[in-house]
Amino acid sequence: MEINKRTILWIVFAVSLVFLWNDWMMDHGRGSMFSAQPPAKTAQAPAAQAKVNDLPAAQTQAAGTPGAVPGASGAPAPVQTQVITITTDVVKADIDTNGGVIRRLELLKYRDQQDTSKNQVLFNVDSAKNRLYLAQTGLTGTMPNHYTAFTARPGARVLDNGNQVQLVLDAEAGGVRLTKTFTFHRGDYVIGVRHDVTNIGAAPVAPALYLQLEHDGQKPETDKMFQSTYTGPTLYTSQDKYQKLTFEKIGKGSAEHSAKATDGWIAITQHFFVSAFIPPEKLQRDIYTKALGNDLFAIGTVLPLGTVQPGATVSNDARLYSGPQEESLLANVTPGLDLVRDYSWAAIIAKPIFAVMIWLHSMLGNWGWTIIAFTILIKLLFFPLSAAGYRSMAKMKTVTPKMQAIRERFKDDPAKMQQATMALYKSEKINPLGGCLPLLIQMPVFLALYWVLQGAVEMRGATWMWLPDLTLKDPFFILPVLYAISMFVTQKLNPQPADPMQAKMMMFMPLAFSVMFLFFPSGLVLYWVVNNLISMAQQYIITKKFAPPAK
């Protein structure tokens, strides 16, 4: 079979379909075919053998209770509590004094992609939509947990002139007083979560603190079939590095992950955002995941606090990051947190690409023009290869009649046809792969840019011309149509296939790609349209300049 640019274009199309299949796998909880599997450290007990909420103590949750606490024997009778709202310049958090649970977190700098009149919400309880996402902390056993009624100390609730605002909650149970202190900072998505445990009884106690994220296991409502991204529990330890889990495996009791560590974090990751509990470093902890029933799941960590004598107090300072997956923010919070911005296998190319785009954006100030400038840079970088490829295609165009004659002469003998064709290439000094090389080299860039635009929260909500958001599809489908036109013109500039069937297939290619691009991020389609337009200009000029005279 003759290998030419058309064949490579079909390969590109096939690879793109593979990415769509990969998205479907992620959308149905099967994980990405490109992502490395987490190390198999400690497997959870099968669901058939495990009781609900058996980590870290085998206690059973009361029927119908939404959520669970490790080691708690069920929620107590409802008490009169209140929801306290803390507001800073970047977040608005609702904290329920019933358990000291963060039940809603609104990001004031990010708009909801479905309803841009509203802000993006992470932690939330929405009974109407059957959605639940909470941050919970407490002590195991009969000590204060996230069902215990806390009392809020008076204080500021809005960050005004200072750099931080605090909410302090107190509760007593089982001979222990637990004081939770939430500290919010100006311009920061990191929430300080301090726990002071005081033994108010007559005997020593050995409390253990848990930090837990509870989730309904559903993807965000903005998740679409052709733009499906990972949603699920993640964790990191210095020994086993970054690990991605699925709610499906947790529900089946087959999730495998690190069970013990002295550092790292646990998180729930979703498209563009992440919430991660970060315990203190160099402190032994257990890591667990579990299905809570009622389609709820949890990932958490338990930290023993040692023996506390009567009248003594032990303290623990943890942190909770809940915000965007901005590389510049995540890298400064804790080691490994920047890995939640998952570029999959393309990370080695995607990270330098994004670094260059950040540099361009610092000068241009608009992500649409940044993508265009980046495309121009790529074309300039590969110009020598493109020139060689276009020269080769120009020569191919001049020998098309000879190739057609060879096909007619040896149509019943494929071996001799191939031999004669290669002899023609040699005599005319034509490299049949010359026109394919530039496209082959650019394929990794295209695929890496796909992952960049899938994960770059910096581009979320970025506008350009008629496009309201470069991370979403073109609402008017203008770019896919322009792409189809540019690809059709490019085909006319190329040597036409002698095989009528192949010619018909090539006519179908612009339509096939354009239909696929209807659902791709508009920033990615913008890159490909600009790339085609520049390629057309280059090909026209180089073909006219370097094409040998027809014999």
Side-chain angles (χ1 to χ4, degrees), residues 110-186:
Y110 292 87
R111 293 292 185 180
D112 184 279
Q113 286 189 313
Q114 284 194 317
D115 185 354
T116 55
S117 65
K118 299 179 180 179
N119 293 322
Q120 176 68 36
V121 174
L122 295 186
F123 298 123
N124 194 29
V125 178
D126 189 339
S127 301
K129 296 182 179 180
N130 198 28
R131 303 304 301 261
L132 185 143
Y133 185 12
L134 302 171
Q136 305 160 332
T137 69
L139 303 177
T140 61
T142 59
M143 301 175 191
N145 54 53
H146 69 261
Y147 294 122
T148 306
F150 283 75
T151 301
R153 298 183 188 178
R157 304 296 186 237
V158 178
L159 181 65
D160 291 324
N161 299 323
N163 289 321
Q164 70 177 39
V165 58
Q166 288 186 330
L167 173 63
V168 183
L169 305 175
D170 297 290
E172 296 181 4
V176 168
R177 178 188 300 118
L178 175 62
T179 300
K180 292 187 183 184
T181 304
F182 297 94
T183 304
F184 297 79
H185 303 273
R186 181 178 299 278

Side-chain angles (χ1 to χ4, degrees), residues 375-393:
T375 309
I376 295 173
L377 281 180
I378 292 295
K379 298 300 291 183
L380 290 175
L381 179 64
F382 295 131
F383 178 77
L385 289 173
S386 299
Y390 295 142
R391 284 197 297 269
S392 178
M393 285 193 295

Side-chain angles (χ1 to χ4, degrees), residues 275-330:
S275 296
F277 267 123
I278 309 161
E281 295 291 319
K282 299 180 180 179
L283 186 63
Q284 184 66 43
R285 78 284 309 267
D286 295 327
I287 302 169
Y288 64 90
T289 55
K290 54 182 176 175
L292 306 177
N294 300 323
D295 294 323
L296 297 176
F297 306 88
I299 181 171
T301 183
V302 178
L303 303 99
L305 300 180
T307 301
V308 183
Q309 299 297 328
T313 299
V314 63
S315 301
N316 179 283
D317 284 295
R319 293 177 294 161
L320 171 63
Y321 179 91
S322 191
Q325 295 179 18
E326 287 190 26
E327 283 191 355
S328 58
L329 297 179
L330 299 177

Side-chain angles (χ1 to χ4, degrees), residues 19-296:
F19 271 84
L20 296 181
W21 173 250
N22 175 65
D23 284 343
W24 184 90
M25 291 176 66
M26 296 173 67
D27 188 44
H28 289 76
R30 289 169 169 79
S32 170
M33 68 177 71
F34 302 115
S35 300
Q37 293 298 318
K41 286 297 174 183
T42 302
Q44 285 193 312
Q49 300 175 5
K51 296 181 179 180
V52 178
N53 312 315
D54 63 339
L55 291 176
Q59 299 287 343
T60 304
Q61 176 191 356
T65 304
V69 54
S73 57
V79 294
Q80 187 66 34
T81 59
Q82 63 180 132
V83 176
I84 299 175
T85 301
I86 304 294
T87 306
T88 73
D89 57 328
V90 294
V91 300
K92 182 178 180 182
D94 290 347
I95 302 176
D96 195 338
T97 58
N98 184 20
V101 174
I102 302 180
R103 58 182 295 120
R104 191 174 191 276
L105 187 76
E106 184 177 336
L107 305 182
L108 304 182
K109 300 294 185 181
Y110 292 87
R111 293 292 185 180
D112 184 279
Q113 286 189 313
Q114 284 194 317
D115 185 354
T116 55
S117 65
K118 299 179 180 179
N119 293 322
Q120 176 68 36
V121 174
L122 295 186
F123 298 123
N124 194 29
V125 178
D126 189 339
S127 301
K129 296 182 179 180
N130 198 28
R131 303 304 301 261
L132 185 143
Y133 185 12
L134 302 171
Q136 305 160 332
T137 69
L139 303 177
T140 61
T142 59
M143 301 175 191
N145 54 53
H146 69 261
Y147 294 122
T148 306
F150 283 75
T151 301
R153 298 183 188 178
R157 304 296 186 237
V158 178
L159 181 65
D160 291 324
N161 299 323
N163 289 321
Q164 70 177 39
V165 58
Q166 288 186 330
L167 173 63
V168 183
L169 305 175
D170 297 290
E172 296 181 4
V176 168
R177 178 188 300 118
L178 175 62
T179 300
K180 292 187 183 184
T181 304
F182 297 94
T183 304
F184 297 79
H185 303 273
R186 181 178 299 278
D188 200 345
Y189 296 98
V190 177
I191 304 170
V193 185
R194 179 184 174 90
H195 294 83
D196 296 295
V197 182
T198 302
N199 185 351
I200 57 176
V205 294
L209 172 69
Y210 66 87
L211 310 171
Q212 177 171 283
L213 296 168
E214 186 176 339
H215 198 276
D216 53 47
Q218 302 180 53
K219 287 179 174 288
E221 295 178 356
T222 54
D223 197 88
K224 306 297 182 183
M225 179 179 178
F226 290 94
Q227 286 184 280
S228 181
T229 56
Y230 171 78
T231 299
T234 56
L235 64 141
Y236 177 90
T237 68
S238 60
Q239 181 177 358
D240 298 325
K241 305 307 179 183
Y242 181 58
Q243 300 162 58
K244 292 172 63 174
L245 311 175
T246 65
F247 293 116
E248 182 181 46
K249 287 188 176 181
I250 292 174
K252 294 178 179 178
S254 61
E256 297 181 348
H257 57 80
S258 301
K260 293 183 179 295
T262 57
D263 57 13
W265 44 264
I266 55 100
I268 294 289
T269 302
Q270 66 184 65
H271 195 197
F272 293 132
F273 303 100
V274 62
S275 296
F277 267 123
I278 309 161
E281 295 291 319
K282 299 180 180 179
L283 186 63
Q284 184 66 43
R285 78 284 309 267
D286 295 327
I287 302 169
Y288 64 90
T289 55
K290 54 182 176 175
L292 306 177
N294 300 323
D295 294 323
L296 297 176

Side-chain angles (χ1 to χ4, degrees), residues 343-366:
Y343 293 135
S344 188
W345 60 270
I348 192 172
I349 305 175
K351 288 189 176 182
I353 284 177
F354 188 69
V356 172
M357 296 182 74
I358 285 288
W359 172 69
L360 290 172
H361 183 262
S362 67
M363 296 183 290
L364 300 175
N366 179 274

